[in-house]
Amino acid sequence: MRTEALTGGFADAPVEAAQVFRATLEALARPGRIATVGGAEAPAPVSGAAAVLLLTLCDHETPLFLAPGHDGPEVRDWVSFHTGAPLVGREEATFALGHWPALAPLGAYRIGTPDYPDRSVSLIVEMEALAARGARLTGPGIETEAFLSLPETEAFRRNNARFPLGWDCFFTCGQSLAALPRSTRVEEA
Amino acid sequence: MTDAAYNFAYLDEQTKRMIRRAILKGVAIPGYQVPFASREMPMPYGWGTGGVQVTAACLTPADTLKVIDQGADDTTNAVSIRRFFQRTAGVAATERTAEASVIQTRHRIPETPLTEGQILVYQVPIPEPLRFLEPRETETRRMHALEDYGLMHVKLYEDIARNGAISTAYAYPVKVEGRYVMDPSPVPKFDNPKLESPAIQLFGAGREQRIYAIPPYTRVVSLDFEDHPFEASKADHACDLCGAEESYLDEVITDDAGGRIFVCSDTDFCAGRRAGGHRGALAAEDVA
Amino acid sequence: MYVAVKGGEKAIDAAHDWLAKERRGDRAVAELSLAQIREQMSLAVNRVMAEGSLFDPDLAALAIKQARGDLIEAIFLIRAYRTTLPRLGASRPVDTGAMRCDRRISATFKDAPGGQVLGPTFDYTHRLAGLQTGGRGGRIRGRVPVCGDATDEAVPKPRITDILGRDGLIQDEPPGEAEPPDMTRAPMDYPAGRALRLQALTRGDEGFLLGMAYSTQRGYGRNHPFVGELRIGTVEVEMEVPELGEAVCVGELTLTECETVNQFAGSKIEPAQFTRGYGLVIGQTERKAISMALVDRALRWEELGEEDSGAPAQDAEFVLGHADNIQATGFLEHIKLPHYVDFQSELELVRRMRAEAAREAAE
């Protein structure tokens, strides 16, 4: 194991994880809002926001898929040391991390079952840019309408159409974090 | 001053991650009850263990916590839970609704409208709205999956046939964002309209191992019929202390000869009105 | 003028002070030591360990003292403590066939290899309150073995059901590969498999299981149990240590195991065979272990192709959902908490409906 795998975790996990979770909760509960999070660093190409999401939400109970581009020995070592999350394929993943094209095919992920729609993947989508413009969002968490620079709209529209089944997304870029639950209705702006 | 023998907010980090994941799935699927591996807390089941676990998973040191039971900050179980978090998380506590960032509640939604940035955590005894119609978990799970809520409508309709009115006065079922029928916890139906809120609402049922959520601005409709519309009723009185006409009231028996008065159940709301100079029929002039 | 009731904080402090005083009792009477409770109230200690799901006699003794002898309260203390303990690993399955038995009886065979060993049982005591002796036992005659070495270890005591199994007379229970679930780390999931059911039963309330088991004997899901074997004693607990490449003994546990031999199943294609019920409980807890075996057997109706007679003990959701005394006591006792608000909402509704009825009657 490389030494960089051992560094980059939270300095004060209980407090920092709590702060990241609150930002994450606000982001998911208010789709389109962009939060700033930080406190940890993972090896490239993992963004700071994705790193703290992994530290806050993942452990040995959450199988993780690293998409091509993110899957490499350094990231693997870091993830294993800091979270203990088992690394798996798309089909078994509770979390998946990668750039949007590399996360495909989306049909491979778990979307829950009618009895247990919560048994579904959460995608952590690494973005080149993240801004409150682009696709128009409406639904729970949004008073009137919101906008977010989604990588596309069609996949999210289809994901919403099968509600309550589906996956949920976090978008990360540097220290920025946004989210889009399956409940959000997405249209071209 | 926190108790160094315990982790921040009592729960270990592994447990908090598990609860946080359940909360996020709850937010993503409004009104759906997410099963979670509720831990055995150092307080009895039925006394807020679900709410306490959700609160513990949400708190940061910067939070200001308010805990109410029956709308009041000074009820014994509210005091006990507030002390637990002061001791294990060292957070600031307040009785003022407007100053709180996290509010844990049992049986009430505060009268003061909640705002963005606030989280309301409900203690839930029986999260399953269909439980008293069908005790079997395997059956109610199927009904939710199929969106088969006929049994609930039959029950409400039979109420009307027998009593001329829907006889549910608290824990009045709602439909969330047009999909899941949800139990809002035993708040009086007077509080149901407040379920549509700018705040995040999280529901924790410890013994029954369920977490669910209503994100901000989510549509929450109390079940009813066209010819018997839902009505958020309350006792037909004003608060005898602050004179409020539109707040939910506690009835207090003052003697054994039929004497009774009505006072706001939300103690912070009532105190705030009195501080602002409002007076009810029985308030002394000097009460601040 | 009316002033709202205040003083919750003061009331709680005062209640705690009073509780501490009551817990100690009359100070002219010597205080109990934890060792006294552990040694002389050992069956209470065993019950607290079994239902608290934690084998630690000293801690159980402490809990009993702190709880003023309220065993459910003591179990609650143990459970809340247990939750905070780190999980270092899982042991290998214990081998109850290699148990060093203090007690081992079979109701199905007059004698069997290893013999019948009564052990320290109340069974044949005459239940005469020891008014003369102040609760002490009678005079001890002869040498009494120390618990754990009661019988000659050189004499193996094969399980009775293994002996029946050799001739195919009893349904086989092959070891499974699946990792059993941990109900303390995952939410309850119905329908529950047998491993999960047994887990819930072994930490379930003794009184509840006793009542459920008794109901099956009286015809509510009857399944004709014989106590094939009841054994109490110590077993070694082994853990795999990857660094050593082998399993090492990390300690010993006292267990009570009951295997019942039940009515036979069979069909035109399958020859008749006896079936089993199984009970395994921490400590010397034989009432609980026998009850568990009967309830386990009743819950197996579906897999054994029996009819659902609608008996409570056959209903897994009912049994497992209500067996836990910590859940039950918490929810039961929570109705002591204020419910002014919900009651007021019903009061208002009832008054309104009565007023409506009165108005209609007047018209």
Side-chain angles (χ1 to χ4, degrees):
Chain A
M1 183 173 282
R2 295 158 183 78
T3 49
E4 58 264 37
L6 309 180
T7 61
F10 285 134
D12 182 1
V15 168
E16 288 177 282
Q19 290 162 343
V20 172
F21 172 68
R22 276 292 279 283
T24 309
L25 173 62
E26 287 286 342
L28 189 71
R30 302 177 196 281
R33 298 278 179 97
I34 298 173
T36 303
V37 291
E41 289 294 333
V46 181
S47 67
V52 296
L53 262 187
L54 293 175
L55 291 175
T56 301
L57 297 176
C58 293
D59 53 39
H60 65 273
E61 291 181 352
T62 58
L64 171 68
F65 170 69
L66 294 174
H70 278 73
D71 190 12
E74 292 182 10
V75 175
R76 282 179 168 246
D77 283 353
W78 188 88
V79 163
S80 299
F81 178 77
H82 288 284
T83 73
L87 298 171
V88 298
R90 292 178 180 82
E91 296 76 8
E92 297 166 66
T94 301
F95 287 90
L97 170 66
H99 288 104
W100 184 248
L103 286 165
L106 295 170
Y109 295 101
R110 299 196 305 163
I111 56 167
T113 65
D115 280 1
Y116 296 99
D118 56 308
R119 295 180 181 174
S120 55
V121 75
S122 297
L123 305 173
I124 302 172
V125 186
E126 296 265 42
M127 306 282 283
E128 297 301 330
L130 196 53
R133 60 174 179 269
R136 178 173 180 267
L137 317 179
T138 53
I142 302 166
E143 188 173 12
T144 51
E145 58 180 5
F147 298 89
L148 191 63
S149 56
L150 299 179
E152 63 168 290
T153 53
E154 182 55 20
F156 296 93
R157 197 191 56 72
R158 281 204 306 267
N159 188 48
N160 171 250
R162 62 191 165 188
F163 184 91
L165 303 185
W167 29 256
D168 308 297
C169 273
F170 298 101
F171 301 100
T172 49
C173 177
Q175 306 292 99
S176 298
L177 169 72
L180 195 83
R182 67 192 79 176
S183 58
T184 304
R185 292 180 286 280
V186 178
E187 302 160 82
E188 297 280 357
Chain B
M1 200 55 199
T2 55
D3 195 325
Y6 297 99
N7 194 27
F8 174 72
Y10 183 76
L11 297 175
D12 60 278
E13 291 304 296
Q14 156 71 27
T15 297
K16 281 192 240 172
R17 279 192 296 272
M18 175 271 296
I19 295 170
R20 286 168 178 162
R21 293 192 294 261
I23 292 172
L24 293 177
K25 284 300 174 193
V27 167
I29 316 167
Y32 165 74
Q33 303 163 52
V34 184
F36 83 112
S38 173
R39 301 295 195 242
E40 289 175 302
M41 299 298 289
M43 58 192 62
Y45 285 119
W47 297 54
T49 56
V52 164
Q53 289 179 81
V54 169
T55 297
C58 287
L59 280 182
T60 74
D63 273 313
T64 302
L65 177 69
K66 171 181 166 83
V67 183
I68 50 172
D69 187 339
Q70 314 298 302
D73 299 85
D74 196 48
T75 35
T76 44
N77 203 43
V79 168
S80 172
I81 290 170
R82 187 165 57 237
R83 275 187 177 184
F84 177 75
F85 283 117
Q86 285 176 301
R87 183 176 163 191
T88 59
V91 293
T94 184
E95 297 193 358
R96 302 297 311 277
T97 299
E99 289 168 8
S101 53
V102 177
I103 302 172
Q104 180 166 328
T105 182
R106 179 170 171 266
H107 294 189
R108 275 310 311 276
I109 300 175
E111 305 290 0
T112 306
L114 300 181
T115 57
E116 292 199 4
Q118 291 186 306
I119 298 178
L120 183 59
V121 178
Y122 295 76
Q123 300 172 200
V124 181
I126 302 278
E128 178 49 71
L130 306 169
R131 184 61 69 233
F132 298 110
L133 307 172
E134 167 53 64
R136 224 162 276 276
E137 159 73 14
T138 38
E139 283 298 310
T140 54
R141 180 161 295 286
R142 190 191 57 76
M143 291 177 189
H144 285 295
L146 299 176
E147 210 177 339
D148 173 7
Y149 296 123
L151 206 55
M152 180 65 88
H153 289 284
V154 168
K155 187 262 169 203
L156 297 177
Y157 195 78
E158 283 177 354
D159 272 6
I160 293 169
R162 185 176 305 121
N163 303 314
I166 291 172
S167 65
T168 300
Y170 60 91
Y172 191 102
V174 295
K175 197 160 198 184
V176 180
E177 199 64 20
R179 178 56 179 83
Y180 285 101
V181 167
M182 191 198 91
D183 181 322
S185 90
V187 298
K189 66 178 182 176
F190 174 80
D191 281 342
N192 274 25
K194 300 192 202 109
L195 291 163
E196 288 189 349
S197 168
I200 295 174
Q201 298 174 80
L202 305 175
F203 299 77
R207 194 178 37 78
E208 300 279 341
Q209 307 184 311
R210 295 292 184 272
I211 285 172
Y212 51 104
I214 303 177
Y217 310 114
T218 299
R219 255 187 313 133
V220 182
V221 176
S222 302
L223 300 184
D224 63 359
F225 296 94
E226 264 181 30
D227 50 346
H228 284 272
F230 172 80
E231 193 188 349
S233 58
K234 64 180 269 287
D236 193 14
H237 291 269
C239 172
D240 283 320
L241 294 183
C242 76
E245 306 265 355
E246 293 306 320
S247 76
Y248 195 75
L249 301 173
D250 278 344
E251 179 173 338
V252 180
I253 297 174
T254 51
D255 56 40
D256 62 358
R260 57 172 55 89
I261 65 169
F262 290 88
V263 297
C264 289
S265 126
D266 184 333
T267 49
D268 170 57
F269 177 77
C270 193
R273 278 180 54 85
R274 278 179 280 143
H278 295 279
R279 292 287 179 274
L282 299 174
E285 285 306 311
D286 57 344
V287 173
Chain C
M1 185 202 130
Y2 171 77
V3 180
V5 185
K6 281 264 178 191
E9 304 221 11
K10 279 187 195 155
I12 288 176
D13 286 338
H16 290 176
D17 289 346
W18 196 348
L19 175 64
K21 185 161 174 283
E22 287 293 312
R23 179 185 291 125
R24 176 60 183 85
D26 183 351
R27 290 188 172 271
V29 176
E31 185 173 353
L32 270 175
S33 74
L34 299 185
Q36 285 172 325
I37 297 171
R38 185 191 65 224
E39 296 300 318
Q40 297 170 37
M41 293 284 149
S42 57
L43 296 186
V45 168
N46 282 336
R47 180 170 176 195
V48 169
M49 292 195 299
E51 292 169 36
S53 297
L54 187 71
F55 189 84
D56 187 333
D58 291 302
L59 199 63
L62 180 148
I64 291 168
K65 183 173 178 181
Q66 188 178 334
R68 303 176 65 194
D70 179 337
L71 295 191
I72 290 182
E73 186 68 25
I75 291 159
F76 188 2
L77 291 170
I78 296 296
R79 290 272 192 93
Y81 173 71
R82 181 192 193 275
T83 311
T84 66
L85 298 176
R87 303 290 194 276
L88 299 177
S91 75
R92 295 175 59 166
V94 296
D95 180 5
T96 53
M99 181 185 279
R100 297 209 311 282
C101 297
D102 294 332
R103 170 160 167 77
R104 189 277 194 123
I105 53 170
S106 170
T108 49
F109 294 101
K110 185 163 186 179
D111 202 359
Q116 304 258 18
V117 180
L118 274 189
T121 177
F122 288 123
D123 282 357
Y124 305 101
T125 61
H126 295 153
R127 267 60 166 204
L128 304 171
L131 302 178
Q132 311 296 323
T133 60
R136 287 187 293 275
R139 194 169 58 84
I140 295 171
R141 307 169 199 87
R143 196 184 73 81
V144 174
V146 179
C147 273
D149 334 302
T151 55
D152 187 350
E153 282 180 47
V155 181
K157 292 182 179 55
R159 278 187 295 249
I160 302 293
T161 48
D162 289 350
I163 297 170
L164 284 170
R166 198 171 305 138
D167 300 329
L169 289 170
I170 194 161
Q171 157 221 18
D172 194 22
E173 300 285 358
E177 289 301 312
E179 192 173 323
D182 180 348
M183 64 178 291
T184 68
R185 310 301 280 185
M188 200 67 185
D189 198 5
Y190 296 110
R194 192 171 179 218
L196 186 56
R197 298 200 303 255
L198 290 170
Q199 214 172 100
L201 295 179
T202 195
R203 72 203 309 252
D205 182 74
E206 177 176 312
F208 179 82
L209 287 195
L210 173 64
M212 279 291 130
Y214 179 46
S215 73
T216 69
Q217 289 182 291
R218 292 192 65 258
Y220 291 84
R222 182 149 187 240
N223 53 49
H224 310 274
F226 296 101
V227 173
E229 182 170 2
L230 176 74
R231 56 170 66 199
I232 304 174
T234 51
V235 294
E236 290 193 343
V237 179
E238 293 184 333
M239 265 186 81
E240 303 278 2
V241 181
E243 288 80 2
L244 298 178
E246 60 180 17
V248 294
C249 176
V250 293
E252 285 191 334
L253 269 180
T254 305
L255 294 175
T256 302
E257 182 186 57
C258 176
E259 282 202 274
T260 56
V261 177
N262 295 68
Q263 72 191 149
F264 52 87
S267 65
K268 282 190 178 135
I269 35 173
E270 278 185 85
Q273 254 189 339
F274 289 104
T275 60
R276 313 176 192 228
Y278 188 69
L280 183 71
V281 187
I282 286 176
Q284 182 180 342
T285 43
E286 72 182 62
R287 180 185 302 123
K288 168 84 172 279
I290 299 168
S291 300
M292 179 174 163
L294 265 60
V295 176
D296 169 50
R297 179 58 185 77
L299 292 174
R300 303 184 71 189
W301 63 273
E302 207 165 0
E303 66 190 91
L304 296 173
E306 294 170 346
E307 290 218 342
D308 177 7
S309 65
Q314 287 181 309
D315 185 335
E317 274 202 42
F318 179 80
V319 172
L320 305 186
H322 302 109
D324 190 284
N325 51 25
I326 302 308
Q327 291 177 357
T329 201
F331 198 52
L332 181 107
E333 296 194 44
H334 108 281
I335 65 174
K336 295 182 285 193
L337 288 175
H339 285 78
Y340 323 135
V341 165
D342 355 0
F343 182 69
Q344 185 59 224
S345 67
E346 292 215 323
L347 203 54
E348 187 258 328
L349 183 64
V350 169
R351 281 182 179 138
R352 180 194 301 258
M353 280 156 63
R354 289 175 63 88
E356 195 74 29
R359 189 159 48 243
E360 276 173 21
E363 278 167 13

